[in-house]
Amino acid sequence: QIAIGAKKDEDFSAWYTDVSHFGVVLIKADMLDYYNVSGCYILKPWSYSIWEIIQRWFDDKIKALGVQNAYFPMFVSQKVLEREKDHIEGFSPEVAWVTRAGQSELEEHIAIRPTSETAMYPYYSKWIKSHRDLPLKLNQWNSVVRWEFKSPQPFIRTREFLWQEGHTAHLTREEADKEVLEILDLYRRVYEELLAVPVIPGVKSEKEKFAGGLYTTTVEGFIPTSGRGIQGATSHCLGTNFSNSNMFDIFVEDPNDPVGKAKIYVWQNSWGLSTRSIGVMVMVHGDDQGLVLPPRVASVQAVVVPCGITAKTTDEERKRINDKCEELAQSLRAADIRAKADLRDGYTPGWKFNDWEQKGVPLRLEIGPQDIAKNQTLTVRRDTGKKDPVSLEGLPQTVSALLEDIQKDLFIRAKETYQERVKAITKWEDLVPALDNKNVVVIPWCEREQCEDDIKERSARAAEPTDERAPSAGAKSLCIPFDQSKWDPVEPGKTKCVACGQDAKRWAMFGRSY
Ligand SMILES: O=C(C[C@H]1NCCC[C@H]1O)Cn1cnc2c(c1=O)CCCC2
Ligand SMILES: [Mg+2]
């Protein structure tokens, strides 16, 4: 096999990102091209089609929950953006500004939205007057700009990215709490059911939550090759932090107090999933041959390649084989399988095999004269390389079943790896070695922010002169998993925090991360 010029386990950054190698999985799979503004990338059809599949699935689901799509301007005025210091505090270096149009300076600088809370909520205040206007549930499919300074990585960390951002307003906390978890489970399903990527749902620590919110729930992914955790998507309850009278003043009259007209400030949620999810899928499933696409998000699920055609093959024989390939592809498409016959002239079957393997197409069907004679085709799985001759009788059903097996096996394999790499740690001295062995850890934790800072500091890999390995960042808290049942229960007042010895509250996941 013609490898892509970088081995995943040997040089992950070259495999995934490093433009100088150009042997990179994203280029070889024709997913993107680099762009002449740093931190920005062109999403070519091979990756954009993945986003479209995610979009279609998620959009259907939120519409079933009564969410409507809308569109707000990408420009946010300075006074509105900086309405509340602690919402914007710590973020402001990332905000990109429009300061000039043509030759004329703008009086007031205008921000490009880094997220849309402050663009939307003045209008939530204007539109929401009575409890009958609730719940208000709007979503945007758009792009946002964050001028990140950490090194950019395609899909994972880019200065502009596509996402959806949902913003809802509710009369009661109960209704808001319920929706936060409903959306989070849709995010879990996008990862696990579409992208075949396992994630761990949980709640963020006070330090890691969205500063302007009340609490943040998250689905946390894991990249085995780097041993780093990655935030997959977040669903926040904002409480009344954005609706209160100092902020956007979004209230209704208490329906149970028609006379007193007590003000009820609305309970808000906001939730987002971005094209980062595509990068996570590439990193989790890709191999040294390149991209490996889960069938659910593959724009081509099965590629039919004619074989046995040589320079000596007569024109009518070549036509007979090509027609058979096209006929098979059509029969698969008729059964809603995204199939394509690769009838390109001037390329050998081997070249075509390599090309579609680099693009991650889940299944290949090889058809030569002997196969036609035996009314069969040779199926080749991209995930395992397994080859099986199958009858052309009932081919659509056979291929559908194969694609479901591939989808399931990709997920199971990734889930088993993730589970192996989550180490339950009860002694501090075992923590850093576990991280150095490309694991994330779960520990009984006190949940104090000071302790979190200490863990980050104490778990950075020492940059000792003797330590030839690159220094690495310390562990951040990734989430407090909702499912605590996998580990010995924390006994209040008895179980101690692994890092500081104070009373532990729950098991928390920590890890080096993106
Ligand atoms: O964006 C959010 C919260 C929320 N925004 C809407 C979608 C869900 C969720 O991400 C947090 N956040 C992250 N990053 C930034 C900001 C910010 O509010 C504001 C300024 C620039 C950078
Ligand atoms: Mg950020």
Side-chain angles (χ1 to χ4, degrees), residues 79-84 87 117-126 240-251 265 268:
K79 69 178 177 312
V80 165
L81 183 80
E82 297 176 343
R83 168 72 61 106
E84 186 215 11
H87 164 64
E117 282 79 359
T118 55
M120 299 170 81
Y121 298 169
Y123 299 92
Y124 278 34
S125 176
K126 179 181 177 187
T240 57
N241 297 359
F242 282 82
S243 64
N244 70 48
S245 53
N246 303 326
M247 281 288 278
F248 294 97
D249 210 21
I250 312 170
F251 61 88
Y265 288 93
Q268 291 178 274

mmCIF file of all heavy atoms in Angstrom, residues 79-84 87 117-126 240-251 265 268:
data_model
loop_
_atom_site.group_PDB
_atom_site.id
_atom_site.type_symbol
_atom_site.label_atom_id
_atom_site.label_comp_id
_atom_site.label_asym_id
_atom_site.label_seq_id
_atom_site.Cartn_x
_atom_site.Cartn_y
_atom_site.Cartn_z
ATOM 1 N N LYS A 79 -20.384 48.138 22.804
ATOM 2 C CA LYS A 79 -21.021 48.347 24.127
ATOM 3 C C LYS A 79 -21.879 47.138 24.489
ATOM 4 O O LYS A 79 -21.938 46.725 25.633
ATOM 5 C CB LYS A 79 -21.805 49.653 24.181
ATOM 6 C CG LYS A 79 -23.053 49.756 23.351
ATOM 7 C CD LYS A 79 -23.710 51.132 23.602
ATOM 8 C CE LYS A 79 -24.943 51.331 22.749
ATOM 9 N NZ LYS A 79 -24.745 51.005 21.335
ATOM 10 N N VAL A 80 -22.478 46.531 23.480
ATOM 11 C CA VAL A 80 -23.290 45.347 23.773
ATOM 12 C C VAL A 80 -22.395 44.158 24.107
ATOM 13 O O VAL A 80 -22.638 43.442 25.066
ATOM 14 C CB VAL A 80 -24.204 45.013 22.574
ATOM 15 C CG1 VAL A 80 -24.773 43.617 22.702
ATOM 16 C CG2 VAL A 80 -25.307 46.035 22.473
ATOM 17 N N LEU A 81 -21.305 44.000 23.348
ATOM 18 C CA LEU A 81 -20.447 42.827 23.565
ATOM 19 C C LEU A 81 -19.880 42.839 24.983
ATOM 20 O O LEU A 81 -19.770 41.805 25.631
ATOM 21 C CB LEU A 81 -19.287 42.829 22.567
ATOM 22 C CG LEU A 81 -18.372 41.599 22.658
ATOM 23 C CD1 LEU A 81 -19.003 40.415 21.937
ATOM 24 C CD2 LEU A 81 -16.997 41.886 22.109
ATOM 25 N N GLU A 82 -19.576 44.023 25.461
ATOM 26 C CA GLU A 82 -18.894 44.088 26.771
ATOM 27 C C GLU A 82 -19.875 44.408 27.868
ATOM 28 O O GLU A 82 -19.514 44.903 28.934
ATOM 29 C CB GLU A 82 -17.748 45.096 26.671
ATOM 30 C CG GLU A 82 -16.743 44.591 25.633
ATOM 31 C CD GLU A 82 -15.590 45.523 25.353
ATOM 32 O OE1 GLU A 82 -15.703 46.720 25.710
ATOM 33 O OE2 GLU A 82 -14.592 45.053 24.786
ATOM 34 N N ARG A 83 -21.129 44.044 27.636
ATOM 35 C CA ARG A 83 -22.203 44.327 28.594
ATOM 36 C C ARG A 83 -21.825 43.838 29.984
ATOM 37 O O ARG A 83 -21.930 44.528 30.969
ATOM 38 C CB ARG A 83 -23.512 43.668 28.129
ATOM 39 C CG ARG A 83 -24.634 43.633 29.141
ATOM 40 C CD ARG A 83 -25.192 45.023 29.304
ATOM 41 N NE ARG A 83 -25.737 45.508 28.041
ATOM 42 C CZ ARG A 83 -27.043 45.594 27.800
ATOM 43 N NH1 ARG A 83 -27.895 45.226 28.720
ATOM 44 N NH2 ARG A 83 -27.488 46.037 26.644
ATOM 45 N N GLU A 84 -21.353 42.569 30.055
ATOM 46 C CA GLU A 84 -20.999 42.100 31.390
ATOM 47 C C GLU A 84 -19.550 41.661 31.382
ATOM 48 O O GLU A 84 -19.182 40.823 30.567
ATOM 49 C CB GLU A 84 -21.899 40.936 31.799
ATOM 50 C CG GLU A 84 -21.665 40.504 33.235
ATOM 51 C CD GLU A 84 -21.815 39.002 33.430
ATOM 52 O OE1 GLU A 84 -21.897 38.283 32.421
ATOM 53 O OE2 GLU A 84 -21.866 38.565 34.584
ATOM 54 N N HIS A 87 -18.585 37.897 31.497
ATOM 55 C CA HIS A 87 -18.888 37.068 30.313
ATOM 56 C C HIS A 87 -17.709 37.165 29.356
ATOM 57 O O HIS A 87 -17.197 36.189 28.862
ATOM 58 C CB HIS A 87 -20.167 37.576 29.642
ATOM 59 C CG HIS A 87 -20.339 37.051 28.249
ATOM 60 N ND1 HIS A 87 -20.510 35.717 27.987
ATOM 61 C CD2 HIS A 87 -20.319 37.668 27.043
ATOM 62 C CE1 HIS A 87 -20.620 35.544 26.679
ATOM 63 N NE2 HIS A 87 -20.505 36.713 26.086
ATOM 64 N N GLU A 117 -24.477 35.284 22.087
ATOM 65 C CA GLU A 117 -25.318 35.689 23.236
ATOM 66 C C GLU A 117 -25.631 37.186 23.190
ATOM 67 O O GLU A 117 -26.781 37.607 23.273
ATOM 68 C CB GLU A 117 -24.606 35.381 24.564
ATOM 69 C CG GLU A 117 -24.643 33.952 25.003
ATOM 70 C CD GLU A 117 -23.629 33.072 24.280
ATOM 71 O OE1 GLU A 117 -22.899 33.593 23.416
ATOM 72 O OE2 GLU A 117 -23.591 31.869 24.555
ATOM 73 N N THR A 118 -24.563 37.985 23.018
ATOM 74 C CA THR A 118 -24.778 39.432 23.170
ATOM 75 C C THR A 118 -25.453 40.035 21.939
ATOM 76 O O THR A 118 -26.021 41.116 22.011
ATOM 77 C CB THR A 118 -23.424 40.137 23.399
ATOM 78 O OG1 THR A 118 -22.567 39.781 22.319
ATOM 79 C CG2 THR A 118 -22.806 39.693 24.712
ATOM 80 N N ALA A 119 -25.403 39.342 20.798
ATOM 81 C CA ALA A 119 -26.121 39.832 19.609
ATOM 82 C C ALA A 119 -27.606 39.553 19.757
ATOM 83 O O ALA A 119 -28.462 40.333 19.315
ATOM 84 C CB ALA A 119 -25.575 39.141 18.354
ATOM 85 N N MET A 120 -27.936 38.445 20.409
ATOM 86 C CA MET A 120 -29.319 37.970 20.438
ATOM 87 C C MET A 120 -30.127 38.483 21.618
ATOM 88 O O MET A 120 -31.301 38.821 21.486
ATOM 89 C CB MET A 120 -29.328 36.423 20.459
ATOM 90 C CG MET A 120 -28.668 35.793 19.239
ATOM 91 S SD MET A 120 -28.436 34.010 19.435
ATOM 92 C CE MET A 120 -30.072 33.429 19.025
ATOM 93 N N TYR A 121 -29.483 38.572 22.793
ATOM 94 C CA TYR A 121 -30.281 38.750 23.992
ATOM 95 C C TYR A 121 -30.937 40.123 24.155
ATOM 96 O O TYR A 121 -32.005 40.207 24.767
ATOM 97 C CB TYR A 121 -29.479 38.339 25.237
ATOM 98 C CG TYR A 121 -29.079 36.876 25.251
ATOM 99 C CD1 TYR A 121 -28.163 36.360 26.166
ATOM 100 C CD2 TYR A 121 -29.608 35.973 24.316
ATOM 101 C CE1 TYR A 121 -27.798 35.018 26.169
ATOM 102 C CE2 TYR A 121 -29.236 34.638 24.312
ATOM 103 C CZ TYR A 121 -28.342 34.168 25.225
ATOM 104 O OH TYR A 121 -27.966 32.841 25.209
ATOM 105 N N PRO A 122 -30.376 41.200 23.580
ATOM 106 C CA PRO A 122 -31.154 42.455 23.626
ATOM 107 C C PRO A 122 -32.509 42.281 22.939
ATOM 108 O O PRO A 122 -33.504 42.903 23.341
ATOM 109 C CB PRO A 122 -30.270 43.447 22.877
ATOM 110 C CG PRO A 122 -28.886 42.886 22.956
ATOM 111 C CD PRO A 122 -29.045 41.398 22.946
ATOM 112 N N TYR A 123 -32.585 41.410 21.956
ATOM 113 C CA TYR A 123 -33.835 41.198 21.225
ATOM 114 C C TYR A 123 -34.704 40.179 21.929
ATOM 115 O O TYR A 123 -35.925 40.208 21.828
ATOM 116 C CB TYR A 123 -33.519 40.861 19.763
ATOM 117 C CG TYR A 123 -32.784 42.025 19.156
ATOM 118 C CD1 TYR A 123 -31.389 42.082 19.173
ATOM 119 C CD2 TYR A 123 -33.490 43.149 18.751
ATOM 120 C CE1 TYR A 123 -30.720 43.197 18.735
ATOM 121 C CE2 TYR A 123 -32.825 44.274 18.313
ATOM 122 C CZ TYR A 123 -31.446 44.303 18.318
ATOM 123 O OH TYR A 123 -30.777 45.417 17.902
ATOM 124 N N TYR A 124 -34.085 39.278 22.679
ATOM 125 C CA TYR A 124 -34.904 38.415 23.543
ATOM 126 C C TYR A 124 -35.655 39.280 24.539
ATOM 127 O O TYR A 124 -36.842 39.079 24.807
ATOM 128 C CB TYR A 124 -34.015 37.394 24.266
ATOM 129 C CG TYR A 124 -33.676 36.177 23.428
ATOM 130 C CD1 TYR A 124 -33.507 36.267 22.059
ATOM 131 C CD2 TYR A 124 -33.543 34.915 24.001
ATOM 132 C CE1 TYR A 124 -33.216 35.157 21.282
ATOM 133 C CE2 TYR A 124 -33.253 33.790 23.239
ATOM 134 C CZ TYR A 124 -33.096 33.921 21.880
ATOM 135 O OH TYR A 124 -32.825 32.813 21.118
ATOM 136 N N SER A 125 -34.970 40.304 25.059
ATOM 137 C CA SER A 125 -35.595 41.215 26.022
ATOM 138 C C SER A 125 -36.762 41.956 25.372
ATOM 139 O O SER A 125 -37.835 42.112 25.954
ATOM 140 C CB SER A 125 -34.560 42.221 26.522
ATOM 141 O OG SER A 125 -35.192 43.146 27.372
ATOM 142 N N LYS A 126 -36.556 42.329 24.113
ATOM 143 C CA LYS A 126 -37.602 43.083 23.394
ATOM 144 C C LYS A 126 -38.778 42.174 23.047
ATOM 145 O O LYS A 126 -39.943 42.566 23.136
ATOM 146 C CB LYS A 126 -36.982 43.648 22.107
ATOM 147 C CG LYS A 126 -37.931 44.433 21.217
ATOM 148 C CD LYS A 126 -37.217 44.936 19.955
ATOM 149 C CE LYS A 126 -38.195 45.653 19.023
ATOM 150 N NZ LYS A 126 -37.536 45.986 17.729
ATOM 151 N N THR A 240 -30.203 32.761 35.413
ATOM 152 C CA THR A 240 -30.734 34.083 35.064
ATOM 153 C C THR A 240 -29.574 35.076 34.936
ATOM 154 O O THR A 240 -29.773 36.288 35.004
ATOM 155 C CB THR A 240 -31.707 34.561 36.160
ATOM 156 O OG1 THR A 240 -30.988 34.559 37.412
ATOM 157 C CG2 THR A 240 -32.915 33.652 36.279
ATOM 158 N N ASN A 241 -28.359 34.537 34.751
ATOM 159 C CA ASN A 241 -27.173 35.405 34.711
ATOM 160 C C ASN A 241 -27.200 36.378 33.540
ATOM 161 O O ASN A 241 -26.619 37.453 33.605
ATOM 162 C CB ASN A 241 -25.897 34.563 34.612
ATOM 163 C CG ASN A 241 -25.694 33.688 35.828
ATOM 164 O OD1 ASN A 241 -26.494 33.721 36.752
ATOM 165 N ND2 ASN A 241 -24.640 32.886 35.825
ATOM 166 N N PHE A 242 -27.822 36.007 32.446
ATOM 167 C CA PHE A 242 -27.891 36.913 31.297
ATOM 168 C C PHE A 242 -29.229 37.642 31.256
ATOM 169 O O PHE A 242 -29.390 38.630 30.558
ATOM 170 C CB PHE A 242 -27.688 36.143 29.977
ATOM 171 C CG PHE A 242 -26.262 35.790 29.686
ATOM 172 C CD1 PHE A 242 -25.676 34.687 30.270
ATOM 173 C CD2 PHE A 242 -25.495 36.568 28.834
ATOM 174 C CE1 PHE A 242 -24.362 34.355 30.004
ATOM 175 C CE2 PHE A 242 -24.177 36.248 28.558
ATOM 176 C CZ PHE A 242 -23.605 35.135 29.152
ATOM 177 N N SER A 243 -30.219 37.162 31.995
ATOM 178 C CA SER A 243 -31.551 37.812 31.896
ATOM 179 C C SER A 243 -31.744 38.835 33.007
ATOM 180 O O SER A 243 -32.649 39.664 32.912
ATOM 181 C CB SER A 243 -32.654 36.755 32.003
ATOM 182 O OG SER A 243 -32.618 36.133 33.282
ATOM 183 N N ASN A 244 -30.882 38.847 34.034
ATOM 184 C CA ASN A 244 -31.159 39.725 35.191
ATOM 185 C C ASN A 244 -31.116 41.195 34.805
ATOM 186 O O ASN A 244 -30.702 41.565 33.695
ATOM 187 C CB ASN A 244 -30.188 39.399 36.332
ATOM 188 C CG ASN A 244 -28.774 39.831 36.004
ATOM 189 O OD1 ASN A 244 -28.561 40.952 35.557
ATOM 190 N ND2 ASN A 244 -27.829 38.918 36.196
ATOM 191 N N SER A 245 -31.517 42.039 35.808
ATOM 192 C CA SER A 245 -31.722 43.459 35.497
ATOM 193 C C SER A 245 -30.413 44.171 35.167
ATOM 194 O O SER A 245 -30.420 45.202 34.505
ATOM 195 C CB SER A 245 -32.390 44.153 36.699
ATOM 196 O OG SER A 245 -31.604 43.879 37.854
ATOM 197 N N ASN A 246 -29.256 43.637 35.612
ATOM 198 C CA ASN A 246 -27.983 44.293 35.252
ATOM 199 C C ASN A 246 -27.555 43.892 33.853
ATOM 200 O O ASN A 246 -26.703 44.537 33.255
ATOM 201 C CB ASN A 246 -26.860 43.872 36.217
ATOM 202 C CG ASN A 246 -27.224 44.182 37.649
ATOM 203 O OD1 ASN A 246 -27.897 45.179 37.889
ATOM 204 N ND2 ASN A 246 -26.831 43.311 38.563
ATOM 205 N N MET A 247 -28.128 42.779 33.355
ATOM 206 C CA MET A 247 -27.664 42.290 32.047
ATOM 207 C C MET A 247 -28.684 42.639 30.994
ATOM 208 O O MET A 247 -28.875 43.807 30.683
ATOM 209 C CB MET A 247 -27.392 40.789 32.116
ATOM 210 C CG MET A 247 -26.068 40.468 32.755
ATOM 211 S SD MET A 247 -24.702 40.899 31.683
ATOM 212 C CE MET A 247 -24.659 39.462 30.627
ATOM 213 N N PHE A 248 -29.379 41.660 30.450
ATOM 214 C CA PHE A 248 -30.248 41.973 29.307
ATOM 215 C C PHE A 248 -31.706 42.173 29.711
ATOM 216 O O PHE A 248 -32.561 42.409 28.836
ATOM 217 C CB PHE A 248 -30.087 40.890 28.237
ATOM 218 C CG PHE A 248 -28.703 40.893 27.634
ATOM 219 C CD1 PHE A 248 -27.725 40.020 28.081
ATOM 220 C CD2 PHE A 248 -28.372 41.820 26.662
ATOM 221 C CE1 PHE A 248 -26.440 40.052 27.551
ATOM 222 C CE2 PHE A 248 -27.081 41.860 26.124
ATOM 223 C CZ PHE A 248 -26.113 40.977 26.566
ATOM 224 N N ASP A 249 -31.986 42.053 31.025
ATOM 225 C CA ASP A 249 -33.318 42.425 31.523
ATOM 226 C C ASP A 249 -34.426 41.696 30.764
ATOM 227 O O ASP A 249 -35.299 42.322 30.156
ATOM 228 C CB ASP A 249 -33.488 43.946 31.389
ATOM 229 C CG ASP A 249 -34.425 44.479 32.477
ATOM 230 O OD1 ASP A 249 -34.592 43.784 33.497
ATOM 231 O OD2 ASP A 249 -35.008 45.547 32.265
ATOM 232 N N ILE A 250 -34.370 40.379 30.790
ATOM 233 C CA ILE A 250 -35.370 39.567 30.061
ATOM 234 C C ILE A 250 -36.296 38.942 31.102
ATOM 235 O O ILE A 250 -35.909 38.025 31.826
ATOM 236 C CB ILE A 250 -34.684 38.451 29.232
ATOM 237 C CG1 ILE A 250 -33.512 39.011 28.426
ATOM 238 C CG2 ILE A 250 -35.693 37.753 28.333
ATOM 239 C CD1 ILE A 250 -32.633 37.937 27.781
ATOM 240 N N PHE A 251 -37.528 39.481 31.223
ATOM 241 C CA PHE A 251 -38.427 38.991 32.286
ATOM 242 C C PHE A 251 -39.863 38.954 31.784
ATOM 243 O O PHE A 251 -40.196 39.566 30.765
ATOM 244 C CB PHE A 251 -38.333 39.886 33.523
ATOM 245 C CG PHE A 251 -38.730 41.306 33.244
ATOM 246 C CD1 PHE A 251 -40.052 41.716 33.334
ATOM 247 C CD2 PHE A 251 -37.770 42.239 32.841
ATOM 248 C CE1 PHE A 251 -40.429 43.024 33.046
ATOM 249 C CE2 PHE A 251 -38.139 43.550 32.537
ATOM 250 C CZ PHE A 251 -39.465 43.945 32.635
ATOM 251 N N TYR A 265 -37.514 36.616 35.999
ATOM 252 C CA TYR A 265 -36.430 36.654 35.003
ATOM 253 C C TYR A 265 -36.320 35.265 34.384
ATOM 254 O O TYR A 265 -36.386 34.259 35.080
ATOM 255 C CB TYR A 265 -35.115 37.106 35.657
ATOM 256 C CG TYR A 265 -35.158 38.583 35.985
ATOM 257 C CD1 TYR A 265 -35.568 39.024 37.239
ATOM 258 C CD2 TYR A 265 -34.876 39.520 35.004
ATOM 259 C CE1 TYR A 265 -35.675 40.382 37.515
ATOM 260 C CE2 TYR A 265 -34.977 40.890 35.266
ATOM 261 C CZ TYR A 265 -35.380 41.307 36.526
ATOM 262 O OH TYR A 265 -35.499 42.644 36.791
ATOM 263 N N GLN A 268 -32.281 30.674 31.039
ATOM 264 C CA GLN A 268 -31.762 30.499 29.688
ATOM 265 C C GLN A 268 -30.750 29.364 29.587
ATOM 266 O O GLN A 268 -30.046 29.035 30.541
ATOM 267 C CB GLN A 268 -31.090 31.801 29.218
ATOM 268 C CG GLN A 268 -32.075 32.942 28.985
ATOM 269 C CD GLN A 268 -31.381 34.212 28.572
ATOM 270 O OE1 GLN A 268 -30.940 34.986 29.447
ATOM 271 N NE2 GLN A 268 -31.257 34.418 27.273
#
